[in-house]
Amino acid sequence: MEHEFWHERWSNKEIGFHEGTVNKYLYDHWPELSGGDTGSVFVPLCGKAHDMWWLHDRGHPVLGVELSEIACKDFFEEAGEKAMVHPGEPFTTFRHGSLELWAGDFFQLSPEDLKHTHLVYDRAALIALPPSMRKDYVEHLTAIVPEGTRILLITLDYNTKITAPPFNVSDNEVQALYADNYSIEHILTNPLGSDHPFSKRKGLTDATESVFRLTKR
Protein backbone atom coordinates (compact mmCIF):
# COMPACT_ATOMS: atom_id res chain seq x y z
CA MET A 1 0.00 0.00 0.00
CA GLU A 2 1.45 3.33 -1.03
CA HIS A 3 2.13 6.12 1.44
CA GLU A 4 -0.44 8.30 -0.27
CA PHE A 5 -3.19 5.84 0.66
CA TRP A 6 -2.55 6.36 4.37
CA HIS A 7 -2.07 10.11 4.06
CA GLU A 8 -5.46 10.35 2.35
CA ARG A 9 -7.14 8.18 4.97
CA TRP A 10 -5.93 10.44 7.78
CA SER A 11 -6.60 13.64 5.86
CA ASN A 12 -10.17 12.53 5.13
CA LYS A 13 -10.64 11.11 8.66
CA GLU A 14 -11.37 7.66 7.21
CA ILE A 15 -9.95 5.97 10.29
CA GLY A 16 -12.41 3.23 11.16
CA PHE A 17 -9.41 1.20 12.32
CA HIS A 18 -8.93 3.60 15.26
CA GLU A 19 -10.43 2.03 18.40
CA GLY A 20 -10.81 5.16 20.51
CA THR A 21 -10.40 3.19 23.74
CA VAL A 22 -7.73 1.07 25.42
CA ASN A 23 -7.72 -2.38 23.85
CA LYS A 24 -9.14 -5.00 26.20
CA TYR A 25 -6.45 -7.54 25.32
CA LEU A 26 -3.70 -5.08 26.15
CA TYR A 27 -5.30 -4.50 29.53
CA ASP A 28 -5.71 -8.24 30.19
CA HIS A 29 -2.44 -9.65 28.86
CA TRP A 30 0.24 -6.96 28.99
CA PRO A 31 1.14 -7.51 32.68
CA GLU A 32 2.06 -11.15 32.00
CA LEU A 33 3.99 -10.31 28.85
CA SER A 34 5.98 -7.52 30.49
CA GLY A 35 6.51 -9.41 33.73
CA GLY A 36 6.67 -6.12 35.62
CA ASP A 37 9.38 -4.78 33.30
CA THR A 38 8.81 -1.05 32.78
CA GLY A 39 11.27 -0.81 29.91
CA SER A 40 10.68 1.00 26.64
CA VAL A 41 7.82 -0.19 24.42
CA PHE A 42 7.84 0.03 20.64
CA VAL A 43 4.46 0.47 18.91
CA PRO A 44 4.73 0.07 15.11
CA LEU A 45 2.19 1.77 12.81
CA CYS A 46 0.73 3.28 15.97
CA GLY A 47 -1.82 5.78 14.62
CA LYS A 48 -3.19 7.75 17.56
CA ALA A 49 -3.98 4.71 19.71
CA HIS A 50 -5.00 5.45 23.29
CA ASP A 51 -3.08 2.32 24.21
CA MET A 52 0.15 4.31 24.19
CA TRP A 53 -1.08 6.58 27.00
CA TRP A 54 -2.08 3.46 28.94
CA LEU A 55 1.42 2.02 28.58
CA HIS A 56 3.01 5.36 29.43
CA ASP A 57 0.87 5.74 32.54
CA ARG A 58 2.21 2.40 33.77
CA GLY A 59 5.78 3.63 33.69
CA HIS A 60 6.89 2.61 30.20
CA PRO A 61 8.78 4.95 27.92
CA VAL A 62 6.93 4.58 24.61
CA LEU A 63 8.14 4.94 21.03
CA GLY A 64 5.43 4.86 18.37
CA VAL A 65 6.14 5.05 14.65
CA GLU A 66 3.42 6.34 12.36
CA LEU A 67 3.48 7.50 8.74
CA SER A 68 0.96 10.32 9.19
CA GLU A 69 1.90 13.55 10.97
CA ILE A 70 -1.84 14.23 11.32
CA ALA A 71 -2.16 11.15 13.51
CA CYS A 72 0.79 12.23 15.65
CA LYS A 73 -0.61 15.73 16.14
CA ASP A 74 -4.09 14.42 16.95
CA PHE A 75 -2.68 11.98 19.48
CA PHE A 76 -1.36 14.73 21.72
CA GLU A 77 -4.01 17.36 21.01
CA GLU A 78 -6.91 15.02 21.82
CA ALA A 79 -5.30 14.25 25.16
CA GLY A 80 -4.84 17.95 25.90
CA GLU A 81 -1.06 17.53 25.95
CA LYS A 82 1.67 19.44 24.16
CA ALA A 83 4.54 17.80 22.35
CA MET A 84 7.91 19.18 21.31
CA VAL A 85 8.10 18.78 17.52
CA HIS A 86 11.45 18.32 15.77
CA PRO A 87 11.25 18.15 11.97
CA GLY A 88 13.87 15.95 10.40
CA GLU A 89 14.76 13.06 8.10
CA PRO A 90 13.79 10.29 7.96
CA PHE A 91 11.49 11.11 10.91
CA THR A 92 9.80 14.14 12.40
CA THR A 93 9.65 13.52 16.14
CA PHE A 94 6.88 14.46 18.57
CA ARG A 95 8.07 14.22 22.18
CA HIS A 96 6.18 14.56 25.46
CA GLY A 97 8.41 13.41 28.31
CA SER A 98 9.18 9.74 27.76
CA LEU A 99 6.49 9.30 25.11
CA GLU A 100 7.66 9.82 21.54
CA LEU A 101 5.95 9.48 18.18
CA TRP A 102 8.11 9.40 15.09
CA ALA A 103 6.33 10.42 11.89
CA GLY A 104 7.82 8.55 8.97
CA ASP A 105 8.29 5.20 7.26
CA PHE A 106 8.61 2.15 9.52
CA PHE A 107 11.05 0.63 7.03
CA GLN A 108 13.50 3.49 7.71
CA LEU A 109 14.02 2.35 11.31
CA SER A 110 17.41 0.88 12.18
CA PRO A 111 18.58 -1.48 14.95
CA GLU A 112 20.23 1.53 16.59
CA ASP A 113 16.81 3.16 17.02
CA LEU A 114 15.52 0.21 19.06
CA LYS A 115 18.65 -1.11 20.73
CA HIS A 116 17.25 -0.43 24.23
CA THR A 117 13.72 -1.68 23.49
CA HIS A 118 12.70 -5.24 24.34
CA LEU A 119 8.90 -4.91 24.36
CA VAL A 120 6.62 -4.47 21.33
CA TYR A 121 2.87 -3.95 21.12
CA ASP A 122 1.27 -4.72 17.76
CA ARG A 123 -2.49 -4.32 17.62
CA ALA A 124 -2.75 -2.49 14.32
CA ALA A 125 0.45 -2.99 12.31
CA LEU A 126 0.29 -6.51 10.89
CA ILE A 127 -3.44 -6.31 10.17
CA ALA A 128 -2.98 -2.93 8.46
CA LEU A 129 -0.86 -4.50 5.73
CA PRO A 130 -1.99 -6.50 2.71
CA PRO A 131 -0.56 -10.01 2.30
CA SER A 132 2.13 -8.82 -0.12
CA MET A 133 3.71 -6.59 2.55
CA ARG A 134 3.49 -8.74 5.66
CA LYS A 135 6.62 -10.81 5.08
CA ASP A 136 8.69 -7.65 4.54
CA TYR A 137 7.20 -6.11 7.68
CA VAL A 138 8.06 -9.11 9.85
CA GLU A 139 11.54 -9.41 8.37
CA HIS A 140 12.30 -5.75 9.05
CA LEU A 141 10.87 -5.89 12.57
CA THR A 142 13.00 -8.95 13.26
CA ALA A 143 16.08 -7.14 11.95
CA ILE A 144 15.67 -4.08 14.16
CA VAL A 145 14.56 -5.48 17.55
CA PRO A 146 17.08 -7.06 19.96
CA GLU A 147 17.23 -10.76 20.76
CA GLY A 148 14.80 -11.66 23.55
CA THR A 149 12.27 -8.99 22.54
CA ARG A 150 8.72 -9.88 23.59
CA ILE A 151 5.75 -8.94 21.40
CA LEU A 152 2.06 -8.81 22.22
CA LEU A 153 0.40 -9.39 18.85
CA ILE A 154 -3.35 -9.04 18.25
CA THR A 155 -4.84 -10.19 14.95
CA LEU A 156 -8.20 -10.21 13.23
CA ASP A 157 -9.56 -12.96 10.98
CA TYR A 158 -12.71 -13.11 8.86
CA ASN A 159 -13.97 -14.73 5.65
CA THR A 160 -15.67 -11.74 4.02
CA LYS A 161 -13.71 -10.21 1.14
CA ILE A 162 -12.62 -6.71 2.19
CA THR A 163 -10.08 -4.70 0.22
CA ALA A 164 -9.15 -2.13 2.88
CA PRO A 165 -7.58 -2.44 6.32
CA PRO A 166 -7.89 -3.91 8.84
CA PHE A 167 -7.17 -7.07 6.86
CA ASN A 168 -7.74 -10.64 7.96
CA VAL A 169 -4.69 -12.50 9.24
CA SER A 170 -5.21 -16.17 10.11
CA ASP A 171 -3.57 -17.97 13.01
CA ASN A 172 -1.79 -20.19 10.48
CA GLU A 173 -0.31 -17.14 8.78
CA VAL A 174 1.05 -15.88 12.09
CA GLN A 175 2.83 -19.22 12.51
CA ALA A 176 4.22 -19.05 8.98
CA LEU A 177 5.46 -15.47 9.36
CA TYR A 178 7.07 -15.71 12.79
CA ALA A 179 8.00 -19.34 13.51
CA ASP A 180 11.53 -19.16 12.08
CA ASN A 181 12.69 -16.46 14.49
CA TYR A 182 10.25 -16.41 17.40
CA SER A 183 8.81 -18.63 20.09
CA ILE A 184 5.05 -18.35 19.66
CA GLU A 185 2.41 -18.72 22.36
CA HIS A 186 -1.17 -18.56 21.07
CA ILE A 187 -3.04 -17.21 24.08
CA LEU A 188 -6.62 -17.13 22.84
CA THR A 189 -9.05 -16.68 19.98
CA ASN A 190 -12.38 -14.94 20.59
CA PRO A 191 -15.37 -14.02 18.41
CA LEU A 192 -15.29 -10.34 17.53
CA GLY A 193 -18.98 -9.99 18.31
CA SER A 194 -21.78 -8.80 16.04
CA ASP A 195 -22.14 -5.60 18.10
CA HIS A 196 -18.53 -4.54 17.47
CA PRO A 197 -18.37 -1.37 15.32
CA PHE A 198 -16.19 -3.10 12.73
CA SER A 199 -18.56 -6.06 12.48
CA LYS A 200 -21.54 -3.74 12.07
CA ARG A 201 -19.84 -1.56 9.48
CA LYS A 202 -18.64 -4.46 7.34
CA GLY A 203 -21.53 -6.85 7.96
CA LEU A 204 -19.27 -9.51 9.46
CA THR A 205 -20.78 -12.54 11.15
CA ASP A 206 -17.73 -14.78 11.56
CA ALA A 207 -14.85 -12.54 12.64
CA THR A 208 -12.45 -13.56 15.39
CA GLU A 209 -9.58 -11.89 17.22
CA SER A 210 -6.48 -13.78 18.32
CA VAL A 211 -3.80 -12.86 20.85
CA PHE A 212 -0.20 -14.09 20.69
CA ARG A 213 2.91 -13.70 22.82
CA LEU A 214 6.06 -13.83 20.72
CA THR A 215 9.67 -13.94 21.90
CA LYS A 216 12.54 -13.34 19.49
CA ARG A 217 15.10 -16.11 19.69
Side-chain angles (χ1 to χ4, degrees):
M1 304 183 78
E2 299 298 331
H3 289 185
E4 190 59 31
F5 170 85
W6 289 109
H7 289 309
E8 288 182 1
R9 292 290 292 265
W10 281 101
S11 179
N12 297 330
K13 300 189 183 302
E14 296 173 356
I15 52 172
F17 46 82
H18 175 62
E19 275 195 311
T21 60
V22 176
N23 185 273
K24 63 180 179 179
Y25 299 121
L26 173 66
Y27 183 86
D28 290 343
H29 299 289
W30 185 260
E32 187 173 355
L33 178 109
S34 66
D37 179 358
T38 55
S40 179
V41 180
F42 173 51
V43 186
L45 283 61
C46 63
K48 57 177 182 178
H50 292 194
D51 301 332
M52 291 185 286
W53 286 118
W54 187 90
L55 289 163
H56 180 259
D57 289 346
R58 277 146 189 81
H60 294 283
V62 175
L63 170 60
V65 170
E66 165 56 44
L67 189 62
S68 170
E69 288 194 21
I70 293 174
C72 297
K73 292 175 183 176
D74 286 354
F75 175 76
F76 292 103
E77 289 177 0
E78 291 174 8
E81 300 289 356
K82 292 185 178 180
M84 298 292 294
V85 182
H86 301 279
E89 291 292 340
F91 298 100
T92 292
T93 62
F94 294 73
R95 181 177 294 111
H96 174 83
S98 61
L99 201 163
E100 297 184 33
L101 300 191
W102 291 9
D105 187 346
F106 163 83
F107 290 99
Q108 295 296 312
L109 287 167
S110 70
E112 181 69 17
D113 295 324
L114 297 176
K115 65 182 180 180
H116 299 303
T117 300
H118 292 82
L119 297 167
V120 176
Y121 173 57
D122 179 351
R123 183 201 71 81
L126 188 65
I127 63 174
L129 301 172
S132 60
M133 293 187 68
R134 291 175 199 155
K135 186 172 184 290
D136 289 343
Y137 163 76
V138 172
E139 287 181 350
H140 189 64
L141 179 67
T142 301
I144 61 177
V145 299
E147 181 179 339
T149 291
R150 289 161 282 164
I151 303 173
L152 184 66
L153 172 66
I154 300 168
T155 60
L156 176 67
D157 194 14
Y158 51 84
N159 292 323
T160 305
K161 184 170 182 173
I162 298 175
T163 58
F167 294 105
N168 60 306
V169 176
S170 70
D171 295 346
N172 288 338
E173 185 175 1
V174 171
Q175 294 289 334
L177 287 169
Y178 291 92
D180 287 348
N181 296 293
Y182 296 83
S183 300
I184 302 173
E185 183 180 357
H186 185 177
I187 301 173
L188 59 84
T189 295
N190 279 335
L192 185 62
S194 59
D195 59 340
H196 190 279
F198 183 67
S199 294
K200 289 180 177 179
R201 190 168 63 253
K202 300 297 184 179
L204 302 180
T205 58
D206 58 353
T208 59
E209 292 178 301
S210 290
V211 182
F212 298 86
R213 279 196 294 263
L214 314 174
T215 304
K216 184 183 174 184
R217 295 192 293 267

